[in-house]
Amino acid sequence: MSYVGEPSQETITHNCIICGQNKEQGIIIISEFICEDCEHEMVQTDVMDAKYPFFILQMKQILYKKDA
């Protein structure tokens, strides 16, 4: 896992696998980007929360690529 968004001269954005928005800061797991906002929300979400299955489904995309 690597962190993205270190200060630099140019602004680089990545498409978040969870929310679909382009963001500057977050983490990369394998080859997929998760923005800071989604990362924070995921770790704060209880397993009984209605959003939990959505996060699991989105995270599965990291391991099971459509084109694989």
Side-chain angles (χ1 to χ4, degrees):
M1 172 171 48
S2 62
Y3 289 90
V4 181
E6 298 297 322
S8 67
Q9 298 279 355
E10 61 185 70
T11 301
I12 299 173
T13 61
H14 303 273
N15 189 35
C16 177
I17 194 169
I18 305 297
C19 68
Q21 296 182 11
N22 285 324
K23 303 272 183 103
E24 292 179 29
Q25 297 185 350
I27 60 173
I28 293 180
I29 301 176
I30 303 178
S31 62
E32 297 295 337
F33 177 76
I34 300 173
C35 72
E36 278 187 338
D37 296 332
C38 289
E39 176 192 8
H40 180 72
E41 187 176 0
M42 285 192 306
V43 298
Q44 299 298 321
T45 300
D46 187 85
V47 296
M48 300 306 289
D49 190 297
K51 260 193 145 177
Y52 190 79
F54 170 75
F55 290 138
I56 297 299
L57 181 65
Q58 295 304 98
M59 292 292 292
K60 282 183 179 180
Q61 292 180 51
I62 293 172
L63 298 174
Y64 304 107
K65 297 277 188 190
K66 294 176 186 174
D67 298 330

